[in-house]
Amino acid sequence: MSAAPREPVAAGAIARLPLFQHVSRPHLAEIVRHARTLHARRGEIVAQSGETVPGLFAVTYGMVKLVLHGGAGAERVLRLVGPSQTFGEVVLFLQRPLPLDAVALVDTRLVLVPAAPLLELLERDAHFARSLIASLCQRMHELVCDFEATTMHGATPRLAAYLESLAHEPGATRVTLPAAKKIIAARLGMTKETFSRALHELAHGGLVRLAGREVLLLDRAGLERTARS
């Protein structure tokens, strides 16, 4: 993975992050001064399990999967991190090795902000502290929802709920799968074959129609009912 201290790129990327929306310009300039840009090719490991990561990672374009590896090549994708999203927050507080691998799914550009200036900003800026706490709480809520889905719901309701989560606007009629079916299946805790069967079941019920990487949401109400079943 290559690195270069390109401040203009880092400045734009950091300014667009929800975490820094209300941070003052002087404080933001200090963060940018320490940030650096990283480039990862498809399949490249951005950060590896057991490593102590140096700070907060933000994706500017591309996508990173956060994955746990099991025996016999099995993997569980815990999260897909896309543009304007972050990972590595745990290093700010726990200073422990990373418990999972971060792998670039496509050619990806990231911004890395070291821990030290972020910890200083936490002490200086109440807006940033609240934003970070909100972000971590949201992440925890998502993990609880994922655990509930994988332990208490079947594959079809799980997929219906996931497709609903991709439809950010109430009246949206189509969503785009952010990664290949195999990756999405691993993200939902199922095999690719199970994913395909669940998608076929939703399509057979007239709820969705697949068009390449796009999924047409034909019946949002029906999809919501299936997700809650």
Side-chain angles (χ1 to χ4, degrees):
M1 185 167 59
S2 58
R6 297 172 58 187
E7 288 196 9
V9 174
I14 291 172
R16 287 190 294 271
L17 292 175
L19 275 180
F20 299 97
Q21 288 294 305
H22 301 290
V23 172
S24 66
R25 287 189 178 183
H27 288 169
L28 192 64
E30 183 66 14
I31 292 296
V32 170
R33 189 170 71 85
H34 291 88
R36 58 194 177 108
T37 303
L38 308 173
H39 298 270
R41 294 183 178 181
R42 178 182 178 181
E44 190 172 1
I45 295 177
V46 177
Q48 196 164 14
S49 175
E51 293 181 344
T52 301
V53 294
L56 181 74
F57 291 92
V59 176
T60 62
Y61 72 73
M63 183 163 291
V64 171
K65 67 175 180 178
L66 305 184
V67 59
L68 291 171
H69 291 286
E75 70 173 33
R76 174 64 194 274
V77 177
L78 296 183
R79 188 172 162 232
L80 298 175
V81 187
S84 297
Q85 296 180 328
T86 60
F87 65 95
E89 291 90 342
V90 67
V91 75
L92 297 179
F93 303 105
L94 300 183
Q95 296 182 342
R96 292 180 181 176
L98 199 66
L100 42 74
D101 292 336
V103 183
L105 283 175
V106 294
D107 290 350
T108 301
R109 183 171 64 194
L110 308 99
V111 170
L112 172 63
V113 183
L118 288 173
L119 290 173
E120 290 180 10
L121 184 59
L122 273 175
E123 296 180 359
R124 297 179 189 174
D125 194 310
H127 286 296
F128 175 71
R130 283 194 292 267
S131 294
L132 181 59
I133 291 171
S135 176
L136 293 175
C137 288
Q138 177 65 25
R139 201 76 47 78
M140 176 64 71
H141 176 71
E142 291 170 359
L143 286 173
V144 171
C145 290
D146 285 348
F147 181 78
E148 179 190 19
T150 55
T151 56
M152 302 181 69
H153 298 291
T156 303
R158 211 181 313 166
L159 177 57
Y162 179 73
L163 294 176
E164 273 290 303
S165 74
L166 295 179
H168 301 297
E169 299 298 329
T173 58
R174 67 177 61 208
V175 297
T176 302
L177 296 178
K181 290 181 184 178
K182 181 179 179 180
I183 302 298
I184 301 296
R187 169 70 180 81
L188 298 176
M190 61 181 77
T191 64
K192 183 181 177 182
E193 292 74 20
T194 301
F195 177 91
S196 295
R197 284 196 296 270
L199 189 59
H200 176 75
E201 186 173 336
L202 292 176
H204 184 71
L207 303 181
V208 303
R209 185 167 71 244
L210 190 64
R213 287 276 288 273
E214 285 196 335
V215 180
L216 304 181
L217 308 181
L218 305 178
D219 183 353
R220 289 289 302 272
L223 200 63
E224 290 175 6
R225 286 195 298 271
T226 301
R228 292 195 303 267
S229 64

